[in-house]
Amino acid sequence: MSDAVDAVIAQWGRERPDLDVWPMAIIGRLSRLSRMLDRGLREFFAEHGLERFEFDVLATLRRSGEPYELTAGALLKASMVTSGAITNRIDRMEAKGLVERIRDTGDRRSVRIRLTPAGLELIDKLVGLHVANEARMLAGLDPADRDQLEGLLRNLLESMGDTSLD
Protein backbone atom coordinates (compact mmCIF):
# COMPACT_ATOMS: atom_id res chain seq x y z
CA MET A 1 0.00 0.00 0.00
CA SER A 2 1.26 3.51 -0.72
CA ASP A 3 0.15 7.04 0.01
CA ALA A 4 0.62 10.46 -1.59
CA VAL A 5 3.95 10.97 0.19
CA ASP A 6 5.32 7.80 -1.41
CA ALA A 7 4.69 9.40 -4.80
CA VAL A 8 6.62 12.52 -3.77
CA ILE A 9 9.51 10.42 -2.46
CA ALA A 10 9.57 8.43 -5.71
CA GLN A 11 9.69 11.64 -7.75
CA TRP A 12 12.64 12.94 -5.73
CA GLY A 13 14.32 9.55 -6.08
CA ARG A 14 14.01 9.83 -9.84
CA GLU A 15 15.02 13.51 -10.07
CA ARG A 16 17.66 13.65 -7.32
CA PRO A 17 18.89 10.14 -6.55
CA ASP A 18 21.85 11.70 -4.73
CA LEU A 19 19.59 12.94 -1.91
CA ASP A 20 18.51 10.79 1.01
CA VAL A 21 15.02 12.23 1.45
CA TRP A 22 13.94 10.10 4.42
CA PRO A 23 13.04 13.25 6.45
CA MET A 24 10.50 14.22 3.78
CA ALA A 25 8.73 10.90 4.28
CA ILE A 26 8.13 11.66 7.96
CA ILE A 27 7.63 15.43 7.85
CA GLY A 28 5.41 15.15 4.77
CA ARG A 29 3.17 12.60 6.47
CA LEU A 30 3.04 14.60 9.70
CA SER A 31 2.13 17.74 7.73
CA ARG A 32 -0.59 15.98 5.75
CA LEU A 33 -1.97 14.37 8.90
CA SER A 34 -1.92 17.70 10.71
CA ARG A 35 -4.04 19.31 7.99
CA MET A 36 -6.47 16.39 7.94
CA LEU A 37 -6.78 16.28 11.72
CA ASP A 38 -7.21 20.07 11.91
CA ARG A 39 -10.03 19.85 9.37
CA GLY A 40 -11.74 17.07 11.33
CA LEU A 41 -11.47 19.05 14.57
CA ARG A 42 -12.60 22.30 12.94
CA GLU A 43 -15.70 20.57 11.52
CA PHE A 44 -16.51 18.99 14.89
CA PHE A 45 -16.26 22.30 16.74
CA ALA A 46 -18.28 24.12 14.07
CA GLU A 47 -21.10 21.59 14.54
CA HIS A 48 -21.22 22.76 18.16
CA GLY A 49 -21.00 26.48 17.40
CA LEU A 50 -17.40 26.87 18.52
CA GLU A 51 -14.04 27.80 17.10
CA ARG A 52 -11.14 25.54 17.99
CA PHE A 53 -9.56 28.24 20.17
CA GLU A 54 -12.79 28.54 22.15
CA PHE A 55 -12.76 24.83 22.91
CA ASP A 56 -9.08 25.08 23.86
CA VAL A 57 -9.78 27.93 26.30
CA LEU A 58 -12.78 26.13 27.80
CA ALA A 59 -10.80 22.89 28.15
CA THR A 60 -7.78 24.68 29.66
CA LEU A 61 -9.97 26.37 32.26
CA ARG A 62 -11.90 23.15 33.00
CA ARG A 63 -8.83 21.01 33.56
CA SER A 64 -7.33 23.70 35.83
CA GLY A 65 -9.79 22.55 38.53
CA GLU A 66 -12.19 24.52 40.63
CA PRO A 67 -12.86 27.42 40.52
CA TYR A 68 -12.04 26.88 36.79
CA GLU A 69 -10.11 30.09 36.36
CA LEU A 70 -6.66 31.22 35.30
CA THR A 71 -4.91 34.52 34.97
CA ALA A 72 -4.97 36.06 31.53
CA GLY A 73 -1.20 35.53 31.44
CA ALA A 74 -1.53 31.80 32.11
CA LEU A 75 -4.10 31.53 29.32
CA LEU A 76 -1.80 33.50 27.06
CA LYS A 77 1.04 31.02 27.69
CA ALA A 78 -1.24 28.04 27.09
CA SER A 79 -2.58 29.46 23.81
CA MET A 80 0.73 30.67 22.31
CA VAL A 81 -0.85 33.71 20.65
CA THR A 82 -0.30 37.44 21.10
CA SER A 83 -1.83 39.27 24.04
CA GLY A 84 -4.04 41.19 21.61
CA ALA A 85 -5.31 37.95 20.13
CA ILE A 86 -6.11 36.43 23.52
CA THR A 87 -7.92 39.60 24.56
CA ASN A 88 -10.02 39.46 21.40
CA ARG A 89 -10.77 35.78 21.96
CA ILE A 90 -11.77 36.31 25.58
CA ASP A 91 -13.98 39.24 24.51
CA ARG A 92 -15.79 36.99 22.04
CA MET A 93 -16.20 34.18 24.56
CA GLU A 94 -17.40 36.62 27.22
CA ALA A 95 -20.01 37.93 24.78
CA LYS A 96 -21.21 34.33 24.31
CA GLY A 97 -21.51 33.94 28.08
CA LEU A 98 -18.86 31.18 28.27
CA VAL A 99 -16.28 32.98 30.42
CA GLU A 100 -16.12 36.01 32.67
CA ARG A 101 -13.35 38.32 33.75
CA ILE A 102 -12.73 38.53 37.48
CA ARG A 103 -10.71 41.50 38.72
CA ASP A 104 -8.18 40.71 41.44
CA THR A 105 -9.12 42.82 44.44
CA GLY A 106 -5.50 42.76 45.68
CA ASP A 107 -3.95 43.76 42.35
CA ARG A 108 -6.21 45.76 40.04
CA ARG A 109 -3.88 45.09 37.09
CA SER A 110 -4.47 41.35 37.39
CA VAL A 111 -7.48 39.71 35.74
CA ARG A 112 -8.58 36.10 36.04
CA ILE A 113 -10.64 34.37 33.38
CA ARG A 114 -13.29 32.03 34.81
CA LEU A 115 -15.70 29.60 33.24
CA THR A 116 -19.31 30.65 33.64
CA PRO A 117 -21.86 27.97 34.53
CA ALA A 118 -22.82 27.89 30.82
CA GLY A 119 -19.17 27.47 29.83
CA LEU A 120 -18.69 24.68 32.37
CA GLU A 121 -21.84 22.91 31.16
CA LEU A 122 -20.74 23.21 27.52
CA ILE A 123 -17.20 21.89 28.05
CA ASP A 124 -18.45 19.02 30.21
CA LYS A 125 -20.90 18.10 27.44
CA LEU A 126 -18.36 18.42 24.62
CA VAL A 127 -15.18 16.89 26.03
CA GLY A 128 -16.49 13.31 25.81
CA LEU A 129 -17.77 13.93 22.29
CA HIS A 130 -14.41 15.48 21.37
CA VAL A 131 -12.50 12.42 22.62
CA ALA A 132 -14.86 10.17 20.65
CA ASN A 133 -14.24 12.28 17.53
CA GLU A 134 -10.48 11.99 18.01
CA ALA A 135 -10.81 8.21 18.50
CA ARG A 136 -12.80 8.06 15.25
CA MET A 137 -10.02 9.88 13.41
CA LEU A 138 -7.44 7.44 14.80
CA ALA A 139 -9.52 4.30 14.23
CA GLY A 140 -7.07 3.07 11.58
CA LEU A 141 -4.55 2.24 14.29
CA ASP A 142 -4.75 -0.88 16.43
CA PRO A 143 -3.90 -0.53 20.15
CA ALA A 144 -0.28 -1.65 19.76
CA ASP A 145 0.28 0.83 16.90
CA ARG A 146 -1.34 3.62 18.95
CA ASP A 147 0.99 2.93 21.87
CA GLN A 148 4.04 2.81 19.62
CA LEU A 149 3.07 6.02 17.80
CA GLU A 150 2.38 7.80 21.08
CA GLY A 151 5.84 6.86 22.35
CA LEU A 152 7.58 7.85 19.13
CA LEU A 153 5.82 11.22 19.02
CA ARG A 154 6.63 11.83 22.70
CA ASN A 155 10.31 11.09 22.01
CA LEU A 156 10.33 13.49 19.08
CA LEU A 157 8.64 16.27 21.05
CA GLU A 158 11.03 15.79 23.97
CA SER A 159 14.02 15.88 21.61
CA MET A 160 12.75 19.24 20.32
CA GLY A 161 12.38 20.66 23.83
CA ASP A 162 8.58 20.44 24.17
CA THR A 163 8.53 19.10 27.72
CA SER A 164 6.04 21.32 29.57
CA LEU A 165 2.88 23.36 29.12
CA ASP A 166 4.64 26.74 29.50
Side-chain angles (χ1 to χ4, degrees):
M1 196 161 43
S2 66
D3 63 13
V5 175
D6 287 323
V8 170
I9 298 304
Q11 289 170 334
W12 279 117
R14 183 186 69 239
E15 295 299 318
R16 289 290 309 270
D18 59 308
L19 291 177
D20 184 2
V21 295
W22 70 266
M24 287 182 178
I26 295 171
I27 301 295
R29 285 184 175 94
L30 288 172
S31 295
R32 290 177 70 84
L33 279 168
S34 177
R35 285 192 302 272
M36 294 172 81
L37 294 170
D38 282 344
R39 182 176 42 237
L41 293 172
R42 200 172 38 252
E43 289 169 358
F44 170 80
F45 296 131
E47 289 172 13
H48 298 281
L50 289 177
E51 298 286 337
R52 184 173 180 169
F53 78 84
E54 291 172 318
F55 179 86
D56 289 344
V57 169
L58 293 174
T60 300
L61 291 171
R62 177 61 174 95
R63 70 177 187 263
S64 73
E66 285 192 62
Y68 312 118
E69 67 181 38
L70 291 170
T71 64
L75 270 178
L76 179 63
K77 282 183 184 178
S79 64
M80 295 171 40
V81 297
T82 66
S83 60
I86 197 71
T87 298
N88 184 343
R89 291 173 177 189
I90 297 304
D91 287 346
R92 290 171 55 188
M93 293 180 71
E94 194 172 34
K96 286 184 168 184
L98 301 174
V99 299
E100 61 185 339
R101 286 180 170 92
I102 307 295
R103 298 266 177 226
D104 186 330
T105 55
D107 179 2
R108 294 181 352 141
R109 295 171 296 161
S110 180
V111 175
R112 300 185 74 74
I113 310 303
R114 180 184 297 164
L115 282 179
T116 63
L120 179 60
E121 181 180 337
L122 181 61
I123 190 59
D124 280 348
K125 174 185 142 192
L126 286 184
V127 72
L129 297 171
H130 169 64
V131 170
N133 183 52
E134 289 182 328
R136 178 193 59 79
M137 290 190 289
L138 298 174
L141 298 172
D142 66 40
D145 289 340
R146 291 190 311 242
D147 291 344
Q148 182 180 14
L149 181 58
E150 179 185 351
L152 293 169
L153 293 172
R154 179 184 301 109
N155 291 345
L156 184 57
L157 285 168
E158 287 175 358
S159 76
M160 297 179 82
D162 188 25
T163 57
S164 70
L165 290 176
D166 334 303

